[in-house]
């Protein structure tokens, strides 16, 4: 499942749960923004944990750990840019 699909599905589920309440468009937009921000924070924390794990397991091959970290950070930035574009 793509990140976009996850955001849309999650937002739809939240909206469905709140359907008995009268939400304005700005309220709905705020909910979508909160979901997006949560995903960005989750991606950042997960990437940080993965980078630390790579550094720990590749101790003697520190250059390899740095290469892995750089690649993870590049992919994280692309993902975060895509998430922010969905707002």
């Amino acid at each position: 499942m793509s990140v976009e699909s996850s955001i849309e599905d999650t937002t739809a589920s939240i909206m469905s749960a709140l359907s008995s309440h009268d939400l304005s468009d700005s309220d709905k937009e705020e909910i979508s923004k909160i979901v997006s921000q949560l995903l960005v924070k989750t991606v950042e924390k997960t990437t940080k944990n993965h980078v630390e794990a790579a550094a720990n397991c590749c101790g003697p091959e520190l250059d390899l750990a740095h290469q892995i970290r750089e690649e993870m950070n590049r992919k994280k930035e692309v993902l975060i840019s895509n998430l922010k574009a969905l707002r």
Side-chain angles (χ1 to χ4, degrees), residues 61-78:
E61 293 87 18
L62 198 53
D63 189 46
L64 177 60
H66 286 240
Q67 290 174 1
I68 292 170
R69 180 183 67 212
E70 289 173 8
E71 182 65 18
M72 285 186 206
N73 285 332
R74 274 193 295 275
K75 291 185 181 214
K76 175 189 77 170
E77 292 303 320
V78 168

